[in-house]
Amino acid sequence: KNSKTFKMGRMHSAGKGNARSALPYRDTAPSWVKSEPEDIVQEIVKMARKGMMPSQIGTRLRDMHGVPQVKYITGQKILRILHRQGLAPAIPEDLHHLIKKAVNVRKHLERNRKDKDSKFRLILIESRIQRLVRYYKLKQKL
């Protein structure tokens, strides 16, 4: 279908998730970027060895090194660079964060057994985890 007419809704809340920032339409680095692709790849590998996630690496490169988009400069995304170097995370980042959230809610429920809302939210979080696991198994990423 046409992407203008069909939007996938959120799973456990209202809204279609329409708002986003638009990246400039280009496939080359801006003229003001002076970093070399090899230097950026080395920096990405160094940060990954310290245990940083791909999104953290991108944020750090943007804020501290003035790299607008890694893909514009190196020609490949951060996760692909990490895969080539054998440093990609074992489980995808979004799934990792959902699992962390579920663990935190479980800890909270151990201390506060009567918290019915958290119990309900845990069910929703776990159903999102199951949906993501099914997707990643289908795409053979797990």
Side-chain angles (χ1 to χ4, degrees), residues 23-113:
L23 292 173
Y25 183 73
R26 61 169 29 183
D27 54 0
T28 58
S31 58
W32 50 266
V33 174
K34 302 299 181 208
S35 304
E36 292 295 319
E38 298 82 27
D39 299 337
I40 292 175
V41 170
Q42 286 175 351
E43 197 66 36
I44 289 171
V45 169
K46 190 164 64 173
M47 289 183 206
R49 287 210 169 103
K50 287 182 182 174
M52 294 175 77
M53 290 283 195
S55 63
Q56 292 173 316
I57 293 172
T59 305
R60 175 76 59 93
L61 285 172
R62 182 197 67 204
D63 295 345
M64 298 182 115
H65 299 284
V67 176
Q69 285 286 313
V70 171
K71 188 177 178 192
Y72 293 162
I73 300 167
T74 63
Q76 41 191 343
K77 295 181 178 181
I78 295 173
L79 194 58
R80 186 154 297 165
I81 293 170
L82 294 179
H83 273 294
R84 292 235 167 101
Q85 302 286 336
L87 294 169
I91 61 172
E93 196 172 355
D94 52 354
L95 185 59
H96 172 76
H97 287 299
L98 275 176
I99 291 170
K100 258 174 70 172
K101 185 184 275 193
V103 167
N104 286 338
V105 173
R106 276 195 188 281
K107 281 185 195 171
H108 170 78
L109 280 172
E110 284 175 12
R111 288 172 303 195
N112 306 287
R113 293 196 182 279

Side-chain angles (χ1 to χ4, degrees), residues 11-12 121-132 134:
M11 203 167 155
H12 300 304
R121 298 293 164 201
L122 179 64
I123 292 168
L124 298 184
I125 293 167
E126 287 177 343
S127 66
R128 272 183 272 164
I129 291 171
Q130 291 302 319
R131 179 187 268 196
L132 263 181
R134 197 174 21 196

Side-chain angles (χ1 to χ4, degrees), residues 4-22:
K4 295 277 184 197
T5 58
F6 176 73
K7 289 278 187 185
M8 183 179 288
R10 295 208 171 270
M11 203 167 155
H12 300 304
S13 62
K16 303 285 189 191
N18 241 353
R20 68 179 137 269
S21 62

